[in-house]
Amino acid sequence: MGTERKVSHRTVRQELSLTYTITFLAVFLIALALTGYRQYQRAWQSAQEQLENMGQTAQKSISTMLEYNRLLVEGVVDYCQAENARGYSSREGLSQYLLEVLKRSQGLFSISAVFLQDHYDGLDTRAIAEYGLSPETFIAMGWYREQGEIKRREYPCSDGKVHWEYCENTVYLDRPYFKALQAGAEVVMTDLYEEELAGMVIPMMSIALPVRYGGKYAGLVVADMSFVELVAEAQKLNSVEGHQLCLVNQKAEIVMHPDKQFLSQSVRELGDFDDAHLAQAQRGEAFTYAASAVGGRVLRHVEPFDILTTGDR
């Protein structure tokens, strides 16, 4: 006969105790995992909400900045129209008014007023003959910032002199914002572009409004925001550590970013911009783009932004 294995009650109790212990540990680990997962979900949801709020706050801040600058330009337009209505338009008076506007707004790089020939005070034809200037000469006056100082825009002309109120260069007249306003647009917000001024090539965005006398187009007032102002605003909006926010136009180009090297670049230069969001930009939709690192993953949020859709410069 074979040897029978005797099992003591103590052995059974030990095995049952071990089984209970293993079961308890398994349940505990599952509960811990579920708790961790729920905490991760809550953290992820909180990060999403924070990112959405960041995008909405950024849009309000950018809109406020742009609207403030638009109102400054509108004030100059009102000044020009009021002067014309009372039958007295002073070039020096308008120039000084532009200077005061630029002094009041730290967010602007420059501001200018441009008028078609004989559409401001009717003295252009006589002055052109007197100075020997080109028949295409028009009025252009304005101010800009350079290294902490405000300087008057000046235009070298064919008489060998530099004028502050006459311009033979068609740089303003050739810009799409001039033509768009002349065709009837009420306001133009440009894309980011480059202007050469005082030996510098400066990336900037512009807001331009028309000046009309008796309902007829006479010229425009244009305010420029350089990359310095745009980067400063973006840096302020990117003050939350671990977050990144930028403004992308309808051409999928970055127009506001805390690092100036990204300005005018494709959103692909950000490195983490996925095809779905890129396709949205390429459909002609401007938007703010916010990203945040959460738990080793990148969370993204895109918010449509209509204020840049005029797109002419």
Side-chain angles (χ1 to χ4, degrees):
M1 292 182 62
T3 304
E4 293 184 1
R5 181 171 176 262
K6 293 182 180 181
V7 180
S8 69
H9 292 292
R10 183 178 179 183
T11 302
V12 172
R13 285 197 300 271
Q14 287 176 339
E15 290 180 353
L16 287 174
S17 178
L18 181 60
T19 302
Y20 293 152
T21 301
I22 292 173
T23 303
F24 173 79
L25 286 174
V27 171
F28 175 77
L29 290 173
I30 292 171
L32 188 63
L34 288 173
T35 301
Y37 177 70
R38 291 193 188 99
Q39 289 177 342
Y40 179 79
Q41 277 189 318
R42 284 195 292 269
W44 186 259
Q45 184 178 359
S46 175
Q48 284 182 315
E49 292 173 355
Q50 185 179 5
L51 209 55
E52 289 176 12
N53 290 335
M54 183 180 176
Q56 292 166 2
T57 300
Q59 288 201 3
K60 289 179 182 178
S61 178
I62 295 169
S63 295
T64 299
M65 178 188 71
L66 298 179
E67 179 63 13
Y68 175 72
N69 290 334
R70 187 194 68 79
L71 290 174
L72 288 177
V73 174
E74 190 175 89
V76 180
V77 171
D78 291 343
Y79 173 89
C80 294
Q81 292 173 336
E83 291 288 280
N84 178 263
R86 71 187 184 96
Y88 179 75
S89 296
S90 165
R91 299 183 185 189
E92 185 60 43
L94 175 55
S95 179
Q96 289 304 309
Y97 191 83
L98 291 168
L99 174 60
E100 291 305 313
V101 170
L102 188 58
K103 285 181 178 179
R104 289 200 305 269
S105 176
Q106 295 301 315
L108 289 181
F109 167 72
S110 69
I111 188 166
S112 303
V114 179
F115 290 88
L116 295 169
Q117 193 176 111
D118 284 329
H119 280 63
Y120 184 67
D121 55 14
L123 301 177
D124 301 3
T125 303
R126 188 179 70 183
I128 288 169
E130 180 181 339
Y131 294 134
L133 302 180
S134 163
E136 287 75 36
T137 300
F138 60 94
I139 289 181
M141 60 186 82
W143 302 82
Y144 67 97
R145 299 182 191 276
E146 182 182 6
Q147 297 180 347
E149 297 182 8
I150 295 180
K151 297 185 177 181
R152 180 177 253 165
R153 284 182 178 264
E154 296 180 331
Y155 310 97
C157 293
S158 57
D159 63 349
K161 298 180 181 178
V162 175
H163 295 267
W164 61 265
E165 77 274 49
Y166 290 115
C167 182
E168 293 177 311
N169 189 332
T170 60
V171 59
Y172 287 112
L173 307 187
D174 290 340
R175 285 184 179 157
Y177 65 63
F178 189 97
K179 298 174 183 177
L181 294 173
Q182 192 171 26
E186 294 299 326
V187 59
V188 172
M189 169 73 65
T190 75
D191 291 328
L192 200 66
Y193 67 101
E194 292 184 340
E195 178 177 353
E196 186 173 352
L197 181 63
M200 304 177 291
V201 177
I202 305 168
M204 64 177 64
M205 287 168 55
S206 300
I207 302 175
L209 273 71
V211 177
R212 296 190 176 97
Y213 296 149
K216 295 183 179 179
Y217 183 73
L220 61 84
V221 179
V222 57
D224 306 313
M225 296 163 286
S226 79
F227 75 92
V228 175
E229 287 76 33
L230 299 175
V231 168
E233 180 67 14
Q235 287 175 339
K236 183 174 70 175
L237 296 171
N238 279 271
S239 59
V240 180
E241 187 176 351
H243 288 67
Q244 180 188 74
L245 188 137
C246 64
L247 184 60
V248 180
N249 68 13
Q250 65 271 29
K251 298 178 182 178
E253 298 169 339
I254 300 168
V255 293
M256 287 185 70
H257 193 281
D259 189 339
K260 67 180 181 180
Q261 70 173 339
F262 286 108
L263 295 181
S264 294
Q265 301 299 311
S266 166
V267 290
R268 286 196 179 279
E269 295 299 318
L270 295 177
D272 68 345
F273 205 87
D274 57 36
D275 292 336
H277 291 145
L278 181 61
Q280 181 175 348
Q282 291 173 331
R283 288 196 300 268
E285 301 174 12
F287 54 84
T288 49
Y289 169 65
S292 177
V294 179
R297 295 172 58 189
V298 176
L299 179 65
R300 301 175 179 86
H301 177 71
V302 165
E303 190 84 20
F305 195 41
D306 294 334
I307 199 163
L308 295 178
T309 55
T310 48
D312 294 312
R313 67 171 182 267

